[in-house]
Amino acid sequence: MCFGCSPANPIGLKLKFKMDGDICRTEFEAGEEHQGWNGYMHGGLIAALLDETMAWWLWLKDISIMTVEMNTRYSIGVPIKTRLVVESWCEEVKRDRLYLMAGRIILPGGKTAVKATAKFMKIDPAQI
Ligand SMILES: CCCCCCCCCC(=O)SCCNC(=O)CCNC(=O)[C@H](O)C(C)(C)COP(=O)(O)OP(=O)(O)OC[C@H]1O[C@@H](n2cnc3c(N)ncnc32)[C@H](O)[C@@H]1OP(=O)(O)O
């Protein structure tokens, strides 16, 4: 029951993903339960949004992975009750096992609030 994408997880984000060319995309609107500072989304949940969206780029290509490293740059506070677009893409694949991914959160109006890069390791699907 994935916190990011399962429709059955009562406290999950219930994200749905689509590929658009080589970009994986989802939308999310944070509520008051997702706040850190008043009116702004919690940074750990922002990282979860990006982690999930990068993971889904790979999942939609039938690649089973786990996150092994992630860096998040928070440039603009992410307001709650605001429609967010989250995008991810692949920048490089090393030794057919390590995927260097990137993602971003776009605010209404087009500004990028948060950028992330992460490494994902291909694993045996039996492990998950
Ligand atoms: C429907 C579902 C859709 C999907 C949604 C899921 C989204 C959520 C995604 C996550 O958040 S996953 C949860 C957070 N991640 C983890 O808990 C991962 C924990 N780590 C592990 O379980 C193991 O590290 C792992 C199974 C991934 C790999 O273990 P291995 O023992 O197979 O690999 P190993 O540690 O030997 O590393 C293999 C190679 O990669 C290298 N490596 C490891 N980490 C690296 C790193 N961070 N950067 C660069 N290289 C790295 C490592 O040095 C080594 O190089 P060599 O082959 O040259 O020896």
Side-chain angles (χ1 to χ4, degrees), residues 28 30-46 78-81:
F28 183 71
E32 291 184 354
E33 68 277 24
H34 303 118
Q35 284 177 122
W37 294 114
N38 270 347
Y40 291 95
M41 195 173 170
H42 191 286
L45 290 177
I46 290 172
V78 175
I80 62 167
K81 300 179 184 172

Side-chain angles (χ1 to χ4, degrees), residues 5 51-52 55-56 59 66-69 95 97-98 119 121 123 127:
C5 61
D51 182 23
E52 185 79 12
W56 263 84
W59 187 248
M66 285 188 99
T67 320
V68 291
E69 199 173 309
R95 294 191 294 169
R97 187 163 186 215
L98 195 66
K119 295 177 186 175
M121 184 95 67
I123 56 165
Q127 280 182 265

